[in-house]
């Protein structure tokens, strides 16, 4: 009897975890694939098809440590643009990135895309997270 | 067995000899208007074709040197129009042009010239900084500043769309790379934002370099 109950409980737990995970991965896949389109139309001309950047003019998007350390600031960089010297992969960049006219959900999509492409692994950056980050832009 | 090897060798020799003789047969077209002219050669009228050529121009490059159409006499060159603060197509164009630069810089037998269409902002020091950051040095690739009206007018002689300023005061312009031969005639026009077309241009430059020199029509 006891065994049966434990068995049932563990089955339920397993089911929960499984459905949770798949929901998460569905969300991820949705953000990621639509983010690829946002990237193509709004970012790829500058940052390149493989996130390689352009010489010393435009930084690559391959500095996983920089992206991780600045994860909660990235939404503001996209929304307001960025114009100050930054160090990416040990090199300094000081040209301006113009502000992008994108909605919070589009920003979330493109950040999920770049955050999980080019060797990066930031997982899903969803709309709620972007909304919260945008509220704190300097 | 030995005989077979000989046959093979001979076939190879013939094969290459043949290739040598015919050379690359493709000839690039000549673009633009043309008109026939008749002139007297040894008291006989000879009809020749006068092709459209690139107009005269006066500019300064990223080193502050004066560069005119004369500076390109006898050169095969590629031209484009850009500006350093361009957020749209210029980064793509110059990412692709960098491949052309890298393919030819050590041989030094072609030139690349990029006219700025925003000369007010793109001064000599701004152009120099841009070239440095792009990783361009030496005299293979010049970034040229001229009078705005002159450059806009000049763009017509390259058969590209004339730059315009739209509502946002942003420049819109054509992303073409124009291939010009030693006689200043247009021999190719490529979409500078398309890596495949730029690859074709690199191949066409080599074809043009192998073209026998012709007498320059006056």
């Amino acid at each position: 009897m006891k065994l049966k109950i434990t068995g049932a409980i563990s089955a339920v737990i397993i089911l929960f975890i499984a459905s949770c995970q798949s929901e998460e991965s569905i969300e991820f896949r949705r953000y990621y694939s639509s983010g690829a389109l946002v990237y193509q139309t709004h970012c790829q001309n500058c940052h390149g098809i493989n996130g390689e950047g352009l010489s010393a003019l435009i930084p690559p998007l391959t500095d996983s440590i920089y992206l991780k350390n600045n994860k909660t600031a990235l939404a503001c960089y996209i929304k307001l643009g960025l114009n100050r010297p930054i160090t990416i992969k040990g090199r300094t960049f000081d040209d301006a990135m113009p502000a992008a006219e994108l909605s919070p959900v589009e920003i979330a999509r493109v950040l999920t895309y770049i955050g999980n492409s080019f060797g990066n692994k930031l997982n899903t950056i969803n709309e709620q997270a972007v909304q919260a980050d945008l509220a704190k832009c300097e | 067995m030995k005989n077979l090897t000989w046959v093979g060798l001979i076939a190879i020799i013939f094969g290459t000899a043949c290739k040598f003789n015919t050379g690359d047969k493709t000839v690039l077209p000549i673009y633009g208007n043309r008109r026939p002219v008749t002139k007297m050669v040894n008291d006989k009228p000879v009809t020749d074709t006068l092709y459209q050529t690139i107009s005269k121009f006066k500019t300064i490059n990223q080193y502050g040197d004066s560069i005119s159409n004369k500076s390109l006499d006898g050169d095969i060159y590629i031209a484009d129009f850009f500006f350093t603060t361009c957020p749209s197509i210029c980064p793509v164009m110059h990412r692709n042009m960098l491949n052309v630069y890298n393919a030819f810089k050590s041989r030094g037998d072609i030139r690349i010239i990029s006219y700025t269409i925003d000369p007010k902002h793109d001064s000599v020091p701004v152009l120099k900084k841009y070239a440095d950051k792009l990783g361009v040095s030496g005299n293979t690739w010049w970034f040229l500043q001229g009078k705005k009206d002159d450059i806009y007018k000049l763009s017509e002689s390259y058969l590209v769309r004339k730059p315009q300023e739209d509502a946002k005061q942003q420049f819109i312009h054509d992303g073409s790379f124009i291939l010009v031969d030693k006689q200043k005639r247009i021999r190719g026009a490529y979409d500078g934002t398309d890596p495949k077309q730029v690859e074709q241009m690199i191949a066409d430059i080599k074809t043009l370099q192998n073209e026998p020199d012709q007498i320059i029509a006056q």
Side-chain angles (χ1 to χ4, degrees), chain B residues 45-66:
Chain B
V46 174
T47 304
D48 206 349
T49 312
L50 208 57
Y51 292 95
Q52 180 171 335
T53 57
I54 303 301
S55 315
K56 291 180 181 164
F57 65 86
K58 264 190 185 162
T59 56
I60 303 175
N61 70 9
Q62 72 266 38
Y63 306 112
D65 302 328
S66 295

Side-chain angles (χ1 to χ4, degrees), chain A residues 17-34:
Chain A
I17 293 174
S19 67
C20 230
Q21 266 182 348
S22 66
E23 228 164 71
E24 230 177 38
S25 69
I26 287 170
E27 186 192 40
F28 173 78
R29 280 205 300 272
R30 241 197 253 125
Y31 272 86
Y32 186 88
S33 56
S34 49

Side-chain angles (χ1 to χ4, degrees), chain B residues 112-133:
Chain B
I112 303 167
I113 59 172
S114 293
Y115 298 97
T116 175
I117 57 168
D118 183 14
K120 199 170 154 196
H121 177 271
D122 292 343
S123 60
V124 167
V126 169
L127 292 174
K128 175 68 165 58
K129 204 166 174 205
Y130 180 84
D132 287 348
K133 284 186 177 175

